[in-house]
Amino acid sequence: FGIPFLPYKVSINLGAHQGDTGPTGPAGPSGAARFYTAERNAPAFLTPSMPMAHIPGMAVTFTLDKTSRIYMQSRVTIRTQSHQGFHVGFDFEVDGARQGETTWGLGIEMDPPGTWWEQTSIDHTMILGPGTHHIQFTANQTLADAGMYIGAEWGGGMPPYTYGRLNVWVMDN
């Protein structure tokens, strides 16, 4: 409570994992996976027609020594002000480049008038080469609701039932 979660790394040994089956049986080297997670550390207030905004705290940075597949997932709560319904776009920004469509990103949450709360998630998989990479979760609002919070209660409080979390898995090829 009141203490932001910092990104952390967990290594998982998947030594028993094998790749696709080849003509002589299981093929492919054993793999390894790393997991990174980050939680929102401040409320994010979105206003109508604003461009994609970084959600505070929902970012991770890591270094790859070889080309690897990554899987990204975000989970957030949405709290509206006027209950007029909302359209919210979500995206991942990888090394400064958005991954989805220009307006909506990779996912959209649309809810009818009368909605106060919603929880949603998006995910995306891609291949990244060696080097240091930065992944940031972003969101926008395009409907004329007076405003909304991502991962926070109205007014900016962050009780336990509100959340915003970014998870990134790195699977070595």
Side-chain angles (χ1 to χ4, degrees):
F1 295 62
I3 300 172
F5 286 89
L6 299 176
Y8 61 89
K9 173 182 171 181
V10 176
S11 292
I12 303 168
N13 182 359
L14 300 176
H17 172 75
Q18 293 293 309
D20 295 334
T21 300
T24 58
S30 61
R34 291 180 303 284
F35 175 73
Y36 302 88
T37 189
E39 294 194 16
R40 56 85 174 106
N41 57 18
F45 185 68
L46 304 180
T47 57
S49 301
M50 71 183 294
M52 284 286 178
H54 291 175
I55 305 304
M58 292 182 67
V60 296
T61 301
F62 55 91
T63 301
L64 299 176
D65 59 356
K66 62 182 179 177
T67 299
S68 300
R69 179 176 305 278
I70 65 165
Y71 172 75
M72 300 168 279
Q73 176 196 60
S74 67
R75 298 185 58 194
V76 296
T77 56
I78 304 166
R79 171 64 158 93
T80 66
Q81 178 182 13
S82 63
H83 321 299
Q84 296 175 4
F86 55 84
H87 295 159
V88 183
F90 300 103
D91 207 351
F92 296 107
E93 193 175 279
V94 179
D95 299 334
R98 289 197 32 215
Q99 300 303 298
E101 189 267 334
T102 304
T103 302
W104 298 111
L106 289 168
I108 180 173
E109 180 70 34
M110 299 168 49
D111 284 305
T115 302
W116 288 27
W117 282 100
E118 187 66 46
Q119 60 183 6
T120 192
S121 65
I122 65 168
D123 55 42
H124 185 61
T125 301
M126 65 188 301
I127 303 288
L128 290 176
T132 299
H133 299 282
H134 182 76
I135 298 174
Q136 172 74 54
F137 177 68
T138 62
N140 72 357
Q141 181 198 185
T142 61
L143 194 64
D145 190 292
M148 65 181 50
Y149 280 93
I150 300 292
E153 175 59 274
W154 192 254
M158 297 189 308
Y161 55 85
T162 66
Y163 58 85
R165 181 172 297 121
L166 169 67
N167 297 314
V168 177
W169 289 265
V170 176
M171 283 75 70
D172 294 340
N173 286 335

